[in-house]
Amino acid sequence: MRHYAILRLLLAGFLLYFAWPAIPYAATSLELLFWGGWLLFFLLVIGANFSTLLRMTKPPVMEQEELNRQKTHNH
């Protein structure tokens, strides 16, 4: 289900669109730690979904079951 990966990438981009203006205003070390962790998590989400789109990894288990159902239904 490639469209799920595309939707997750779009959602991550949408969240980054709203978060990006606030990142330069981080003043304390706690704020910097939060935004650093947030950006690290963002990169992990982007990387995982790109690997699913490029078929480098298997789709999540929830999506694999639907693929198996479609294969058995077609036969």
Side-chain angles (χ1 to χ4, degrees), residues 8-24 35 38-43 46:
R8 288 188 293 258
L9 285 170
L10 288 172
L11 178 63
F14 179 74
L15 293 175
L16 181 66
Y17 174 77
F18 282 106
W20 193 258
I23 294 173
W35 285 117
W38 193 91
L39 288 173
L40 180 67
F41 182 70
F42 173 79
L43 290 175
I46 294 296

Side-chain angles (χ1 to χ4, degrees), residues 23-41:
I23 294 173
Y25 296 113
T28 66
S29 60
L30 183 62
E31 290 173 337
L32 290 172
L33 181 66
F34 170 78
W35 285 117
W38 193 91
L39 288 173
L40 180 67
F41 182 70

Side-chain angles (χ1 to χ4, degrees), residues 4-6 9 13 16-17 21 24-28 48 57 61 67-68 75:
Y4 288 140
I6 293 170
L9 285 170
L16 181 66
Y17 174 77
Y25 296 113
T28 66
T57 60
V61 176
L67 291 174
N68 291 337
H75 291 338

